[in-house]
Each structure stands twice: as C-alpha cells, then as structure tokens.
Amino acid sequence: MSIEILTDTRPHAPDKYPTEKRPVRLSARNLQTEEIIRMHSHDWGQLTYTPRGMLQILANDSTWFVPPFRAIWIPPRIGHEVRIVEPSHLRVLYFHTEFSPFEGNDCLVLEVSPLLRELIASMEEVEAGSKREAHLAPVIMDELHAAKHLPIRLPMPRDKRLKSLCETLLTDPAASLTLEDYARQVGASSRTLTRLFEQELDMSFTAWRQQMRLAKATPLITSGLALSQVAAELGYASQSAFSAMFKKTFGESPSSFFRHK
C-alpha cells in the first residue's frame, strides 16, 4: 500500500524555502519502499538525489528511474511525483529561481561526481545561514554545470490507447508481441499507433520499447540481480546483447555504470 507523504506544494516549513540570501537549501529524510511524495510543484527548482536506494520520478509526461549517485534536476513550477522503489536516503537541494543552475523546463538526469556527493553531505552538517553554507552554494553550482547528462528519460503518452499499450509493456517488458498484436488489444490500428508514437513521443514503437527496457534495467541491477537474469527479464536474447545495447546508450557497460565511482 502506498503512503502519502506530501500533498501540498510546500516542502516542510517556510524556513526550508530558498531565498536570495540563502539560495541553496537542503532537505534530508529517509523513506521506505512504496512511500510516495504525491504530485506537487513549487516556485523553486530542485535537485533530487539519493546516495542509497532507488527513486522513480514522474514529471513532464515522463518517468525516470534514478539510481544511487545520479540525480534529477526538476525546474521551478514543474509538477512532479517521487516514488520510492527501494529504501532511500532522499537528499533534495532547493534552488532559488535567481540561482538556478539550468535554464528551460526540461528535467535532467545527472551524474553526481564524488565532489558533489561530499558537497551535498556537507550541506547536512553546516550551520543554517553560516558563512560555510554560503561558500558551498557556488561550488555546488559549478559542479552541476560540469555534470554529465544521462539519457534515462522515458516519455509517456496521453492518448488512452497508446497509454494502455505502454503500461502493458512496462508490466511485461520481456514480451515479444508485435505492434499489430498490441493494436488488437487496445482497439486501434497499427497505423494509428505508429502515428501516435511519432506524434506524442517523437520515437518509433521499437525505439520506445528499447528505451523502456533500459529504464527498467536500472532498478533490477541495483537490486543485485545478475546481469544474465536482468537480460532475460527484459527480453534480450543474451547478456551480451543487453550489455551491448546498454553501452551504446550510456557509453559504458552496466557493471561500470552502476559501480560506485
């Protein structure tokens, strides 16, 4: 059963809001599996990060699985929901709008460097409003500007027929059914579904399924499942086929990607 943690648009208390004098603030808490921070938004941007656990973020008609030592940037006034996939040490940096590290309304998944990890940890320890807190903020900004962006986003459709198809695929990522098979299930022609994939998601059915499988790989690998089992769970013919596709997308092997650097 899911547990609602947050239902309004504020974090915990006004003293946690970022201001011009204190533009970067940290909120830290530990959450258990299946806990949910319900859909909400606020006037500042946030960097959502966990050094331990697994997060699923819903925002901008997309979903992201965010593993340890990665983080997601969520711009100001963007509605978002946080789902806890595994027990997580949730660490959220709030950024005043005048001190935003990124422009635009797109969410971004970022590599968290060793230095940025230590900076976030230091924000937990510093005295509120101290000179040290003020000195850490621009260094955090600099690390975010240099952070590598990761293609973990999985766009989700609004059309009911296409949404039904995509949710079916998410439930059974290893299924080898064709688009024609799914068309019969959702009551639309394969031509219509092909058009909807391009119009709503800007990719083909095959490309979306591949992206979905890679997104689903994240929680499976971090749970400790062997790569051979992950490949089978996701419908790949072999571990090497899965590893090759993973490396093509992320630029490194699964074992390297999920190694604590």
Side-chain angles (χ1 to χ4, degrees):
M1 180 182 297
S2 297
I3 303 171
E4 287 197 20
I5 300 299
L6 182 65
T7 56
D8 63 11
T9 60
R10 299 172 296 175
H12 294 293
D15 64 0
K16 290 291 186 181
Y17 297 178
T19 65
E20 289 188 19
K21 290 185 177 180
R22 299 178 63 192
V24 181
R25 306 296 304 280
L26 177 75
S27 175
R29 50 182 161 161
N30 298 336
L31 299 176
Q32 299 303 310
T33 304
E34 295 188 350
E35 290 190 88
I36 296 175
I37 302 174
R38 292 293 182 187
M39 185 67 69
H40 65 288
S41 65
H42 30 67
D43 291 333
W44 49 86
Q46 72 176 56
L47 185 79
T48 302
Y49 160 74
T50 178
R52 178 181 177 185
M54 170 66 63
L55 307 174
Q56 182 182 3
I57 309 296
L58 282 67
N60 278 349
D61 296 317
S62 299
T63 185
W64 291 262
F65 290 95
V66 183
F69 305 111
R70 275 76 186 180
I72 184 168
W73 163 253
I74 303 172
R77 293 175 288 280
I78 296 297
H80 54 281
E81 179 170 299
V82 181
R83 299 180 179 179
I84 309 303
V85 180
E86 296 176 358
S88 299
H89 293 176
L90 185 64
R91 302 295 180 264
V92 182
L93 288 174
Y94 298 122
F95 291 81
H96 189 269
T97 52
E98 299 301 319
F99 207 69
S100 177
F102 304 106
E103 296 181 353
N105 294 320
D106 292 331
C107 296
L108 304 170
V109 177
L110 308 168
E111 191 86 53
V112 178
S113 68
L115 176 55
L116 184 54
R117 294 174 210 165
E118 295 304 319
L119 290 168
I120 294 173
S122 295
M123 287 290 286
E124 285 191 72
E125 305 298 330
V126 297
E127 181 181 350
S130 66
K131 289 184 177 180
R132 180 165 171 74
E133 182 188 70
H135 292 160
L136 288 174
V139 185
I140 289 172
M141 288 283 291
D142 191 57
E143 279 300 289
L144 287 176
H145 289 150
K148 177 183 177 182
H149 295 191
L150 301 171
I152 293 180
R153 172 178 176 262
L154 183 66
M156 296 297 290
R158 296 185 178 182
D159 181 271
K160 291 182 178 179
R161 296 162 296 178
L162 194 59
K163 187 175 182 180
S164 176
L165 187 162
C166 290
E167 288 176 346
T168 299
L169 283 166
L170 277 166
T171 302
D172 185 13
S176 59
L177 298 179
T178 66
L179 186 60
E180 287 73 20
D181 295 326
Y182 287 114
R184 287 190 287 271
Q185 291 183 19
V186 301
S189 69
S190 59
R191 178 176 296 181
T192 295
L193 292 176
T194 297
R195 174 175 53 81
L196 288 171
F197 265 107
E198 295 293 344
Q199 287 182 348
E200 292 209 14
L201 305 177
D202 197 27
M203 63 177 65
S204 68
F205 164 72
T206 301
W208 190 91
R209 177 155 63 180
Q210 189 65 63
Q211 187 78 356
M212 176 273 299
R213 285 173 169 170
L214 290 173
K216 292 282 285 187
T218 300
L220 294 176
I221 293 173
T222 58
S223 71
L225 201 64
L227 288 181
S228 58
Q229 291 177 279
V230 172
E233 289 266 352
L234 299 177
Y236 288 90
S238 65
Q239 177 180 328
S240 60
F242 165 68
S243 295
M245 182 55 66
F246 192 99
K247 187 172 184 178
K248 180 180 179 181
T249 302
F250 295 104
E252 55 185 320
S253 68
S255 57
S256 176
F257 184 86
F258 288 99
R259 184 183 303 122
H260 293 177
K261 300 177 181 179

